[in-house]
């Protein structure tokens, strides 16, 4: 890729009037000094850097920077990405390994973040092994889609090698209030929890994740134990199961004291509808302060819709609040059932 990149002039590092900067497919050479006193927005996408320190120095030298996006691929030279900024409030980091010429399975890839004013963080990275977040704002919203470079989560030998790094990420997110986590990240963390506990997230009030139906029984209650004050849970359900029985062996603390709103989405319900109904029953019967449960479903015809409504009518909620359950058709966003408990 290097022969396709243009070299940016060194004068760019000394532009005192620059407010917004976007660089795409360019080469950033070494520099002695940076003076970008008005730069507030920077978007760096698939560039070449002479070494890791250049990118780190460029970021830390922008003293009023508020929004930063860095998109890398595996063929670049930056394996250790350090983001240190006292002014940054929005950060998006993407590491795309799909375009790589080769498979780098080393442990050299790391992300380190120190940004005490950060209010929004997005990590999309299937290459880096370690994520160390030492400082974010207490009201931060985070979106996490990382794999810790675990190629096969069910390969115990590989997983054990990576799990020492998995535990670093949760400790950097203890203060956040709103988190969206991918199904891949959730699976890996749940595997890690079989060996080591993860810390409690006392400030978290909203959690959104994708969850395979086959993992609900084992993953969901145990994972929710880490969020004792959770108020809103958003689940996107995937996959099918042909097991006749599913039971939940525990009731997380948040269901007994704080969980008020649940939203579940499932497209192409098909064979998975029975497991969804069992999850709904579990939530209704064990969530003591639940106010509203919304199901967004793509049922297979009117007959399955009727079956869903019939089953819901039989459920009983234990909440002392006025619980309401809504069923919304995904196709046209129309409400097909609404019932107070």
């Amino acid at each position: 890729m290097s022969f396709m990149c243009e070299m940016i002039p060194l004068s760019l590092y000394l532009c005192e009037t620059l407010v917004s900067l976007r660089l795409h497919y360019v080469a950033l050479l070494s520099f002695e000094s940076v003076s970008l006193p008005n730069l507030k927005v920077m978007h760096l996408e698939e560039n070449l850097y002479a070494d890791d320190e250049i990118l780190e120095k460029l970021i830390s030298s922008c003293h009023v920077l508020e929004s930063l996006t860095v998109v890398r691929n595996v063929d670049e030279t930056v394996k250790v990405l350090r983001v240190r900024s006292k002014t940054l409030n929005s950060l998006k980091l993407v590491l795309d390994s799909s375009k790589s010429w080769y498979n780098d399975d080393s442990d050299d890839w790391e992300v380190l973040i120190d940004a005490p004013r950060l209010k929004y963080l997005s990590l999309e990275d299937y290459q880096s092994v370690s994520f160390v977040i030492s400082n974010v704002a207490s009201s931060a919203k985070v979106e996490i889609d990382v794999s810790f470079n675990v190629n096969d989560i069910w390969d115990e030998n590989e997983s054990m090698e990576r799990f020492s790094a998995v535990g670093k990420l949760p400790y950097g997110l203890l203060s956040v209030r709103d988190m969206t986590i991918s199904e891949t990240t959730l699976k890996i963390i749940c595997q890690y929890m079989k060996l080591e506990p993860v810390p409690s997230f006392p400030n978290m009030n909203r959690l959104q994740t994708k969850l395979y139906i086959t993992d609900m029984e084992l993953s969901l209650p145990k994972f929710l134990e880490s969020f004792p004050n959770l108020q809103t849970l958003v689940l996107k359900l995937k996959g099918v199961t042909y097991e006749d029985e599913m039971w939940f062996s525990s009731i997380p603390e948040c269901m007994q004291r704080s969980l008020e709103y649940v939203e579940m989405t499932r497209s192409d319900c098909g064979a998975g509808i029975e497991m969804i109904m069992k999850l709904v029953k579990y939530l209704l019967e064990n969530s003591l302060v639940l106010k509203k449960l919304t199901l967004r479903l793509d049922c297979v015809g009117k007959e399955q819709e009727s079956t869903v409504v019939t089953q819901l009518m039989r459920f009983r909620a234990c909440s002392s609040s006025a619980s309401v359950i809504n069923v919304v058709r995904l196709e046209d966003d129309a409400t097909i059932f609404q019932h107070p408990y």
Side-chain angles (χ1 to χ4, degrees):
M1 186 176 68
S2 59
F3 66 89
M4 300 174 60
C5 291
E6 295 184 8
M7 306 291 183
I8 67 166
L10 293 178
S11 59
L12 182 65
Y13 299 119
L14 304 173
C15 185
E16 298 191 355
T17 59
L18 193 63
V19 175
S20 179
L21 174 63
R22 183 184 182 96
L23 298 176
H24 186 204
Y25 280 122
V26 299
L28 283 77
L29 303 178
S30 299
F31 49 84
E32 293 184 0
S33 62
V34 177
S35 180
L36 298 168
N38 292 300
L39 187 64
K40 293 186 176 182
V41 179
M42 184 159 60
H43 186 112
L44 307 174
E45 184 171 354
E46 296 184 325
N47 300 308
L48 282 179
Y49 307 91
D51 52 51
D52 292 3
E53 286 73 23
I54 287 179
L55 182 54
E56 179 184 357
K57 185 178 179 182
L58 176 60
I59 295 171
S60 61
S61 298
C62 298
H63 300 304
V64 297
L65 189 65
E66 297 178 356
S67 178
L68 173 64
T69 299
V70 181
V71 181
R72 298 174 292 156
N73 62 50
V74 177
D75 298 324
E76 294 176 19
T77 55
V78 177
K79 289 189 174 183
V80 179
L81 176 58
R82 295 181 177 88
V83 177
R84 294 188 176 96
S85 172
K86 295 181 179 180
T87 59
L88 201 63
N89 57 50
S90 177
L91 175 62
K92 182 176 183 179
L93 302 179
V94 179
L95 179 50
D96 187 357
S97 58
S98 64
K99 300 179 181 179
S100 174
W101 291 83
Y102 64 100
N103 180 28
D104 187 345
D105 200 34
S106 69
D107 292 341
D108 300 335
W109 296 84
E110 295 182 79
V111 174
L112 301 98
I113 299 171
D114 184 359
R117 295 188 180 180
L118 201 61
K119 295 180 180 179
Y120 172 75
L121 170 64
S122 174
L123 294 177
E124 184 180 336
D125 185 338
Y126 276 47
Q127 182 66 42
S128 297
V129 173
S130 175
F131 300 86
V132 178
I133 304 172
S134 57
N135 226 340
V136 295
S138 60
S139 59
K141 175 181 180 180
V142 298
E143 298 176 356
I144 309 295
D145 184 11
V146 301
S147 71
F148 306 94
N149 204 5
V150 174
N151 296 316
D152 184 358
I153 187 174
W154 307 119
D155 185 334
E156 291 187 1
N157 293 327
E158 179 186 11
S159 298
M160 286 294 294
E161 293 175 1
R162 304 293 192 195
F163 275 168
S164 60
V166 172
K168 297 178 183 178
L169 178 61
Y171 282 96
L173 302 174
L174 295 182
S175 64
V176 303
R177 291 181 174 273
D178 187 331
M179 180 165 67
T180 298
I181 183 170
S182 72
E183 67 270 31
T184 298
T185 308
L186 176 61
K187 269 195 170 186
I188 294 172
I189 291 178
C190 286
Q191 285 290 94
Y192 171 81
M193 290 172 66
K194 293 179 180 180
L195 304 174
E196 298 288 342
V198 298
S200 176
F201 295 78
N203 296 326
M204 188 77 67
N205 60 33
R206 183 183 183 276
L207 174 67
Q208 177 173 329
T209 188
K210 293 181 181 179
L211 186 68
Y212 284 92
I213 290 178
T214 50
D215 297 332
M216 287 195 302
E217 180 180 348
L218 297 176
S219 300
L220 187 61
K222 187 174 183 180
F223 189 61
L224 289 181
E225 287 287 356
S226 299
F227 309 96
N229 298 308
L230 189 69
Q231 295 178 0
T232 301
L233 175 64
V234 180
L235 297 175
K236 294 185 178 181
L237 303 175
K238 303 176 64 176
V240 298
T241 181
Y242 298 98
E243 297 179 6
D244 293 330
E245 296 295 331
M246 179 177 67
W247 60 282
F248 299 94
S249 58
S250 64
I251 302 173
E253 185 178 355
C254 65
M255 291 175 60
Q256 302 177 58
R257 57 182 288 180
S258 62
L259 188 63
E260 296 181 348
Y261 303 98
V262 176
E263 178 179 320
M264 294 190 291
T265 300
R266 168 66 195 221
S267 59
D268 188 19
C269 290
I273 193 63
E274 289 301 322
M275 296 299 105
I276 295 172
M277 290 297 99
K278 290 179 180 180
L279 176 58
V280 171
K281 188 173 186 289
Y282 166 73
L283 290 168
L284 285 174
E285 291 183 348
N286 296 287
S287 300
L288 301 183
V289 295
L290 186 67
K291 293 181 179 179
K292 186 176 182 180
L293 190 152
T294 300
L295 287 175
R296 303 177 60 82
L297 303 176
D298 181 14
C299 293
V300 183
K302 298 293 184 181
E303 183 177 347
Q304 191 173 62
E305 284 185 1
S306 298
T307 301
V308 169
V309 171
T310 300
Q311 290 191 45
L312 291 174
M313 292 291 289
R314 297 172 181 165
F315 295 161
R316 292 291 179 267
C318 73
S319 173
S320 57
S321 305
S323 299
V324 174
I325 185 165
N326 284 339
V327 181
V328 178
R329 185 186 297 120
L330 272 180
E331 181 182 4
D332 53 12
D333 208 34
T335 299
I336 59 178
F337 177 75
Q338 185 175 74
H339 184 66
Y341 284 90

